Amino acid sequence: MLFGKRQDEDDTVVAMLASALRRDISFGVLRPDQKLKIEALRQRYGGSNHSMRETLRMLSAEGLVEATSQRGFRVTSATEEDLRDILLMRLEIEKLGLARSMERSNVAWEGRVMATFHTLHHADTHVQAQPDDLTALEWDEACRALSAVLMEACGSPRLIGLAEKFFNQSRRFRLALLREGHIDFAARKARHDALRDAILGKDTDRALACLEEEIAADLGRNR
C-alpha cells in the first residue's frame, strides 16, 4: 500500500505540473522553441527533478515539447507549417470520429451534444464580455469539450486519444486568435448552429462539411 500511495502522489504531482506547463505553452508564456531547463522549471512550478522530467516526457508524447539532441527539452515550434499539419490531422481524425459517432448515435449522446453546444455558446458570450486569462482558459476548455463529445460515441479509444493530442497542440493557435481579436463570434455561432442541426438531423455529409469548416475557422484558416 505504501508504494502504491507514493506512486499515486507522484502521478498527481506530474498531472498538476503538466497542467500548468500546458497552460503556459498555450498562452505563449513558454514560447515556441524556448529551451526548458529542469532546474529553472522546478523553481518556477515546483516539483522534484524526477517529477519535472516525467512531466516533460508526458508533454513530449503530446507533441507540446520536444527532446533535443543534447538530452534537454524545448517547446515545440509553432510555424505556419506546424499549423497546416495540425489542421490536416484534426480534419482527418475528427471527421472520422464524428462519422463513426453518428453511426452509433443514441438519444443520450445527442443530449450531451446539445448540452455541450449550449455550454459553449455561454462560454463564447462570457469571453467576449470578459477576455481575461481565466475566462479564456474556461472558454478553451468549452471548445475542447465540444471536440471531445463529437468523438465520444465513435467506439475507438485510440482515435479519441489522437483527437485529444492534436486538439491540445492547436490550443495556442486558437488562444492567439482570441487574444488578437481575430474571431468572428457571430459567424462562429452560425457554424455551430449548422453543425448541431446537421448532427441532430442525422445528415452525416452535411455534418462533416460543417465540422471541416469549423475546424478550419478554429485555426484561423478561413480568413
Side-chain angles (χ1 to χ4, degrees):
M1 282 300 288
L2 179 61
F3 293 113
K5 183 178 179 182
R6 179 62 183 174
Q7 185 62 49
D8 289 344
E9 290 173 352
D10 288 346
D11 290 346
T12 300
V13 170
V14 170
M16 292 175 63
L17 290 171
S19 178
L21 266 70
R22 207 179 280 120
R23 175 199 64 214
D24 284 353
I25 290 171
S26 298
F27 273 105
V29 176
L30 297 174
R31 300 180 307 280
D33 299 313
Q34 179 177 335
K35 291 182 179 179
L36 300 173
K37 297 182 178 179
I38 289 178
E39 183 57 33
L41 292 174
R42 282 187 59 239
Q43 292 178 11
R44 182 170 185 170
Y45 297 98
S48 64
N49 282 345
H50 172 74
S51 60
M52 186 56 71
R53 189 171 292 279
E54 287 303 306
T55 297
L56 293 174
R57 286 173 178 160
M58 175 187 292
L59 296 179
S60 180
E62 294 178 10
L64 297 176
V65 166
E66 292 180 354
T68 68
S69 57
Q70 293 80 24
R71 293 180 174 271
F73 296 90
R74 67 179 179 89
V75 178
T76 301
S77 62
T79 65
E80 181 66 25
E81 184 178 354
D82 295 322
L83 178 56
R84 285 196 300 268
D85 198 35
I86 292 169
L87 174 60
L88 170 66
M89 296 306 297
R90 282 197 60 190
L91 287 173
E92 294 297 321
I93 292 165
E94 292 182 43
K95 286 173 66 179
L96 175 58
L98 177 57
R100 289 176 59 88
S101 287
M102 291 182 69
E103 287 176 5
R104 295 161 174 74
S105 67
N106 55 36
V107 172
W109 176 71
E110 290 175 358
R112 290 192 295 275
V113 168
M114 290 177 62
T116 305
F117 273 113
H118 183 69
T119 299
L120 183 53
H121 174 62
H122 279 285
D124 282 355
T125 301
H126 193 195
V127 81
Q128 291 176 80
Q130 186 178 327
D132 55 51
D133 285 357
L134 178 59
T135 306
L137 276 176
E138 293 171 347
W139 172 78
D140 186 63
E141 174 58 23
C143 296
R144 186 207 62 77
L146 177 63
S147 175
V149 78
L150 297 184
M151 300 286 299
E152 186 181 279
C154 75
S156 171
R158 290 175 178 83
L159 195 60
I160 290 170
L162 282 173
E164 181 179 9
K165 173 180 177 177
F166 289 108
F167 186 92
N168 282 336
Q169 289 183 28
S170 75
R171 293 179 73 188
R172 52 185 167 173
F173 297 101
R174 178 183 317 100
L175 287 165
L177 291 174
L178 177 68
R179 185 169 58 248
E180 295 162 7
H182 289 158
I183 297 177
D184 182 339
F185 281 96
R188 176 176 163 86
K189 184 179 186 305
R191 289 193 306 271
H192 288 174
D193 289 347
L195 176 55
R196 180 201 61 214
D197 292 347
I199 292 170
L200 298 180
K202 303 186 187 303
D203 186 342
T204 300
D205 289 342
R206 175 63 179 154
L208 295 182
C210 289
L211 180 61
E212 181 168 347
E213 183 180 359
E214 171 57 21
I215 293 173
D218 188 45
L219 295 180
R221 299 298 86 185
N222 62 331
R223 294 184 291 116

